[in-house]
Amino acid sequence: MLMASQRMLHRGMMDAEEESQRVTLPLNDSEPVKREKRGTDYVLVFPLGQSMSGIVNEDDDVENPQERCREIFRQRGPGNKESLIPQELFPFNEPVTQDVFQHKVRIKVLQMLMQYGIAVHGYRSIDHDEMFILLGISKGSEATRNTAKSLDIMARIHPDHVDPCLLRGSDEYPMKNANEEEVPAYMLYDGSERFENFRKIDEIRIIDRVLHECFHTHKLATHHVIEKAFPLASDGHLLGFMDDWANFSCRNAFGFWPPESRGEIVERIRTYYGEYIAFFFMWYANYIRYLIPLAITSVLVLARRLPLLRLPLWWQRYIQIVYTGGVILWATTFNKLTTRSFARSVQIWGTKNIDNVEVHRAEFRPELGGTWSIIIRNIAVGGVMLLYVLVFVGAAALNTTLMSGPVWGKYESIGTTVIIMVFNLGWSSIAPLLANWQNHRTNSRYEEGLVKILAPMKLFLTLVPFLKMAFLRRFTHRTCAPTLAEAAKEVYGTVESVSSWPPVMVWANQTLIGSTQPVWDEDGSLKGVPDLAFLDPYKYTDSAGQACIKGCYPIHCGLDAYGDLHCMSNCSNLLDKSLITFYLSHAACTLAFVIIAIALTKFDIYRERSKHRTAAQGFWNLLSNDEEGKNPETGSPVNCVREEYTLAQLQAKMMGYKYGSWGGSREEDFMELAISFALLTCFSAQVPSMAIPSLICNIAEYRFLAFRMVAVTQRPFPQASEGIGIWQEVFDAICFCAVIVNCALFVFSQSPMDHANHENQYIWFIALENVGILLAVGVSIFMSSMPLDVRNIAESYSRLVARIRFSDAGGSEGETHRTLPVGSVENKPKETTLDEQIVKGLRISDGMRGIKRRVSYVQSFRAVACGSGATESGSESSSSEGS
């Protein structure tokens, strides 16, 4: 009993000591997790066998292990010859079980990583179905410097190793741009002392680059060698983000106001998530900030109709025209200023031309380049897109037909929103398949190809229903009858639906004589409205001599302060309601996706911990009942080390940041922003009030996305990026389309131009379109995408780097840079032996299952030579070989 009490006391002291090693994170606030070992940068998760609750079937046969090894190992031998690793691991290429194959390949993977200066340690998960291998850079080692030097990494030059005399036009280093921000110089890392120390994000990139240079990571996952690979999260960064960036409280100005457009927070985002994600949130923050003046202006435009201002109708129309031109200038100016801001950030962060050092995708097939197969595939992609468009047009037409009646007509905006979201969701699933057909070389080219397939289609699917409301509805939903009164009766309904008639001001000799609703005779004839003058702009006579009312007809009419009649059409009202419904639904879906992701992640964590609690309950019962700390049934000692849930295990259950994941992706997030931007720039002139819900919804969605990145999404690889890439071209194209759409709205949909003859409408449309394009081009010429200070600093630093290289070539050995050594052992550190605990933990079962031998002459010969124990000795040799 005394020994048990001493053990409990010792356990209490250990708990107090380890309390500082635990941290409580947002997604796991009920129970803290244990921090990982200091110096850990990257995590590899190896699945174990089904006998240990893993996913790998240990008894499955691997018929051609050498071929699988060729798919996994990217490295090649001297002279770019085929790698010798498959022959080294499986010299006879005989069928083996998954147990043998997995163990040998995993040991080789970790040994190769250690050859490049990467430290390796690991442990099994809390429920013993996975093996977590933690990787870190051996700081300052010769192997690490050689590896970084061979990877063509751009590193920041330390100020103490720069002679200011080498700079042109400046006597200080680092130079400063127009925003008084320090701009360092970058050059290829050569292992010398002139560079600043590697940051955490640089170490992660080195490890990830080694992984992709040595292995086809996609094939590692396909063959169940690894299950997941991700950078280790930093609890300090996550808790800091929850205090400001991803916080929903009102401590920041305006509650949801994004403060990271520049300054300290955006630098924290970059150093943790990388430039790829930092540029996205920078763009989003700028977008919200620029929405504020547009929303305020839209309120002033809406106020033009207030009776208190007593503005004549022609003044109101001029204000709307000016607002239309202002929206075009706003969109173009926003794009240009954002591009200039990104150019400065790219220079400060040293990501210029960063895409040139990417490795090839595992799915890339070089033999298809320039062949007819690629041409046919591109034609097939276009055919699939055309077919999808036709199906969507048919569905939209069916929705319009079903929602055209008096009962379902008020739900047409909801039906339009549902159709847009359903077809957008369907195309999101099809687009990656089509992008894979195009055989892209690198991930950047794949993303560019995916965006070129995804963006045009989704923008089309979203804009077409609204364009149909604005332009085509007046022609496709006309109502004709022998007289105008009968056509009006058919449009507005009978006496039973008198409330559907607009409040019409009845006129006689230009004098207001009263206001009334329609009154019907007993025979059904209209007699209560003596004058239908309010329908004059909306009526015409068809070829059969019938009186027709256009599909866009007035639903509300009134007089301005000067006695001019003003009517709102059903098309404008439907467009307004549909756009606002779409924005609110979009914000609601974003919130719903975040909530679903949180629920799924919490369920996975709970399930894993429940398995551990069930298994550990018996252990603590044994410990409390036995004074000697032994199992009373077997007499064997009980291991008193309590297993804990670690930060890496928690992160492994979070959603990945990739396309199609609940954790989000930059392609999907930017796509939603492009749709919002397109609707705003194309229709805010027709519906000025749209800028207000757009601002509110985007502020809310911004915080949802920030919270998702911190609390839901598994930390993504901190990828470098030169701006927002292909998305800048998408937004520029949207601005060009906005010019055409706004001009068409003014000419064909707004009074008084919509009542003019077709020839005059076409002339006005062409004239206004050219004026709008000239305005956009003028802004582009006036504001260059590359600021002058950025250009001057780039020229000075180019000269500085050239002088440094010249000095190195003339004064020393003049080392050259090359890609990661492949297969050869030169410049590699001495191979490090793996820890025995890791070797044992990597086994996917309790023991090796052995090699499945074929019935052949060789096997028969071995059986004769080795006797009856041939199979057992072969199994033992394979196990020792793997170790």
Side-chain angles (χ1 to χ4, degrees), residues 366-645:
E367 66 274 8
L368 295 179
T371 62
W372 278 100
S373 177
I374 292 297
I375 298 176
I376 294 174
R377 290 185 182 190
N378 290 330
I379 295 175
V381 169
V384 172
M385 296 177 71
L386 178 60
L387 179 62
Y388 202 81
V389 166
L390 295 177
V391 174
F392 171 76
V393 170
L398 180 62
N399 172 70
T400 304
T401 303
L402 295 177
M403 298 294 180
S404 60
V407 178
W408 297 99
K410 56 184 178 181
Y411 302 111
E412 185 172 354
S413 59
I414 299 177
T416 301
T417 300
V418 171
I419 285 181
I420 292 174
M421 289 187 171
V422 168
F423 274 84
N424 278 341
L425 184 63
W427 189 250
S428 298
S429 303
I430 297 175
L433 303 177
L434 300 181
N436 281 324
W437 285 1
Q438 296 178 330
N439 195 38
H440 297 287
R441 183 185 299 270
T442 62
N443 286 327
S444 294
R445 294 188 184 182
Y446 171 78
E447 180 184 347
E448 183 176 341
L450 177 62
V451 172
K452 288 180 178 179
I453 295 174
L454 193 68
M457 178 62 71
K458 280 202 167 187
L459 290 173
F460 175 84
L461 298 177
T462 304
L463 293 179
V464 161
F466 299 112
L467 292 174
K468 183 180 179 182
M469 295 177 193
F471 296 110
L472 299 181
R473 189 181 182 89
R474 67 186 65 245
F475 304 110
T476 58
H477 288 69
R478 62 182 183 177
T479 303
C480 297
T483 64
L484 183 60
E486 294 176 350
K489 176 182 175 182
E490 187 174 346
V491 168
Y492 293 108
T494 60
V495 67
E496 288 81 7
S497 57
V498 68
S499 60
S500 64
W501 281 71
V504 182
M505 311 307 294
V506 184
W507 293 82
N509 298 325
Q510 298 298 319
T511 303
L512 181 64
I513 62 175
S515 175
T516 183
Q517 291 288 346
V519 179
W520 304 91
D521 248 341
E522 295 181 358
D523 59 357
S525 62
L526 180 67
K527 72 173 186 177
V529 180
D531 191 355
L532 296 176
F534 72 97
L535 287 175
D536 287 346
Y538 306 93
K539 69 178 182 179
Y540 68 97
T541 303
D542 65 2
S543 58
Q546 289 186 318
C548 298
I549 299 177
K550 297 178 181 179
C552 294
Y553 50 83
I555 58 173
H556 177 76
C557 295
L559 298 176
D560 63 8
Y562 294 88
D564 293 326
L565 182 66
H566 175 76
C567 294
M568 174 184 286
S569 71
N570 64 322
C571 293
S572 297
N573 183 65
L574 179 61
L575 185 61
D576 196 347
K577 288 168 45 178
S578 298
L579 289 169
I580 293 177
T581 301
F582 181 80
Y583 268 108
L584 296 178
S585 302
H586 187 274
C589 288
T590 303
L591 175 60
F593 290 158
V594 173
I595 293 175
I596 292 173
I598 292 174
L600 293 175
T601 305
K602 277 184 169 292
F603 176 74
D604 286 343
I605 296 172
Y606 172 78
R607 183 175 57 181
E608 188 170 46
R609 284 193 156 180
S610 297
K611 290 169 58 179
H612 171 66
R613 291 190 185 99
T614 302
Q617 188 63 42
F619 162 77
W620 290 111
N621 292 337
L622 292 175
L623 185 62
S624 60
N625 294 332
D626 184 62
E627 295 183 2
E628 302 297 329
K630 296 181 180 180
N631 190 327
E633 296 181 0
T634 63
S636 59
V638 177
N639 181 12
C640 296
V641 179
R642 185 176 62 185
E643 295 176 313
E644 295 186 274
Y645 204 61

Side-chain angles (χ1 to χ4, degrees), residues 69-77 80-81 83 85 112 209-218 359-362 822:
C69 286
R70 293 188 188 98
E71 295 178 359
I72 291 173
F73 295 95
R74 188 190 293 268
Q75 276 200 328
R76 295 185 176 275
N80 203 31
K81 295 181 180 179
S83 173
I85 294 177
M112 292 177 65
R209 185 71 185 280
V210 170
L211 281 171
H212 284 84
E213 289 283 358
C214 294
F215 317 106
H216 291 286
T217 54
H218 175 71
V359 296
H360 292 180
R361 300 175 70 236
V822 285

